[in-house]
Amino acid sequence: MQAYRPDRVTKIMTGMVSFVYYAAWVVTALLLVILPVLKKLRPELWVDPPLPVGAAVRLPGLGDIVVPQWGLEPLDVTLTMARGWVALPESQFPAGVPMAGYLELVTYMALALAFLHSLRGLFRRLRDGAPFDADNATRMRWVGVWLLAFHLFVGGSQYLMSRRIAENLASRGIGATPYLDINWFAVFGALVLVALAEIFRRGAELEEEQSLVV
Amino acid sequence: MTIYVTLDRMLEKRGMTLTELSERIGITLANLSILKTNKARAIRFSTLEALCRELDCQPADLLGYDGQE
């Protein structure tokens, strides 16, 4: 049997994932350690930037009129849902929210790093010529689990922020309802990955059996 | 494992080393070691034929069965 040789795409993907993995560590160190320490030691340098927070709310029909640039008749468009980022200077956040936001960011980065770590391990074993490896089956399962956890956490935390936004809009007379905005496609993909990991594990068992046939 | 390989016994009888046998039958030393140490899960007929040819023996001289668990 010929030795497995990874193709160019695998090598490129391995390189890209490794780059993103190390870049994620740099960003994590910057956001979670360097900037907070800098702010503590040199508060005069802190410029109080607006911090973005994701939120999704359903708005009642606003009956907006849109005139397309190409000069067609005005269209009667009803805006029913808005999804985006809310940017607020840190100093204007209610008490306790910045700490909750920091813990949320820690969780985001931890899940993202765990996902990238498992994915990188998977690609490296593939590049090294041992794709059907029992450890790779485990890594594939963890890639799916971290992806699932990340998207559920993002959706859940954004929902909590959406509720605050909706309350804020309600106080201004705008009826809005918070919306649970989870990327269900990504969740489904993650579950498929977990299922594929079991198939991979069987492949690893067959590979091991094959290697012990003389 | 209840099927065991007596390759080391035959090698001693014929005064041959594992390395020499590996070179003669074209199977890697690693694979022959797997066979010799009873770690193999299966053996191909082609491999068994090559072993019998080089060691001038019968398959029964290379394989044994241990009925006890």
Side-chain angles (χ1 to χ4, degrees):
Chain A
M1 199 165 88
Q2 287 185 347
Y4 168 76
R5 276 193 204 157
D7 60 4
R8 191 183 292 179
V9 173
T10 304
K11 290 178 189 171
I12 291 170
M13 287 293 298
T14 307
M16 281 171 61
V17 171
S18 289
F19 175 77
V20 172
Y21 176 68
Y22 288 121
W25 270 111
V26 169
V27 168
T28 302
L30 191 69
L31 289 178
L32 299 182
V33 178
I34 297 170
L35 287 180
V37 166
L38 196 66
K39 186 187 169 195
K40 195 80 178 171
L41 295 176
R42 301 287 297 273
E44 69 277 10
L45 293 177
W46 195 248
V47 295
D48 197 15
L51 298 179
V53 179
V57 291
R58 283 193 191 280
L59 298 172
L62 296 179
D64 204 359
I65 305 288
V66 172
V67 179
Q69 286 185 349
W70 52 88
L72 294 176
E73 292 295 317
L75 301 172
D76 194 4
V77 173
T78 302
L79 187 66
T80 59
M81 188 195 152
R83 184 194 313 166
W85 295 90
V86 174
L88 194 66
E90 192 196 342
S91 56
Q92 293 183 28
F93 275 110
V97 172
M99 178 51 72
Y102 181 81
L103 292 173
E104 201 176 304
L105 188 61
V106 168
T107 311
Y108 280 151
M109 297 311 295
L111 289 172
L113 284 170
F115 166 77
L116 286 169
H117 177 78
S118 297
L119 189 67
R120 183 173 171 253
L122 193 72
F123 272 105
R124 286 180 80 186
R125 288 299 287 157
L126 184 61
R127 182 203 61 189
D128 295 343
F132 285 108
D133 185 279
D135 288 342
N136 256 8
T138 307
R139 283 189 197 97
M140 188 181 272
R141 181 192 290 176
W142 279 112
V143 165
V145 167
W146 295 130
L147 197 62
L148 183 69
F150 181 83
H151 284 285
L152 290 177
F153 182 77
V154 165
S157 60
Q158 285 190 359
Y159 177 74
L160 291 175
M161 181 50 66
S162 302
R163 285 182 62 169
R164 294 295 300 269
I165 302 293
E167 283 164 16
N168 187 273
L169 289 173
S171 69
R172 287 193 252 166
I174 301 170
T177 51
Y179 176 69
L180 183 61
D181 186 22
I182 290 180
N183 187 344
W184 294 110
F185 187 75
V187 165
F188 177 73
L191 291 172
V192 166
L193 262 178
V194 171
L196 281 175
E198 281 312 300
I199 297 171
F200 212 86
R201 183 177 301 283
R202 181 61 186 141
E205 284 168 10
L206 289 173
E207 167 97 350
E208 198 196 340
E209 283 243 0
Q210 174 62 28
S211 71
L212 294 175
V213 173
V214 179
Chain B
M1 194 172 160
T2 53
I3 298 285
Y4 59 89
V5 178
T6 57
L7 185 60
D8 48 350
R9 219 181 289 167
M10 281 311 301
L11 283 171
E12 202 182 324
K13 238 186 205 178
R14 299 288 181 253
M16 200 186 293
T17 63
L18 202 65
T19 309
E20 284 170 12
L21 182 63
S22 157
E23 285 164 9
R24 283 192 192 188
I25 64 175
I27 290 178
T28 63
L29 195 59
N31 275 355
L32 278 185
S33 292
I34 288 171
L35 195 62
K36 190 183 151 205
T37 54
N38 288 305
K39 288 191 178 113
R41 296 272 176 90
I43 182 167
R44 296 187 182 92
F45 281 152
S46 56
T47 304
L48 195 55
E49 182 191 334
L51 286 170
C52 291
R53 185 183 66 239
E54 293 302 325
L55 294 171
D56 190 26
C57 63
Q58 292 294 312
D61 296 325
L62 290 169
L63 302 170
Y65 172 70
D66 184 0
Q68 293 176 0
E69 287 295 328

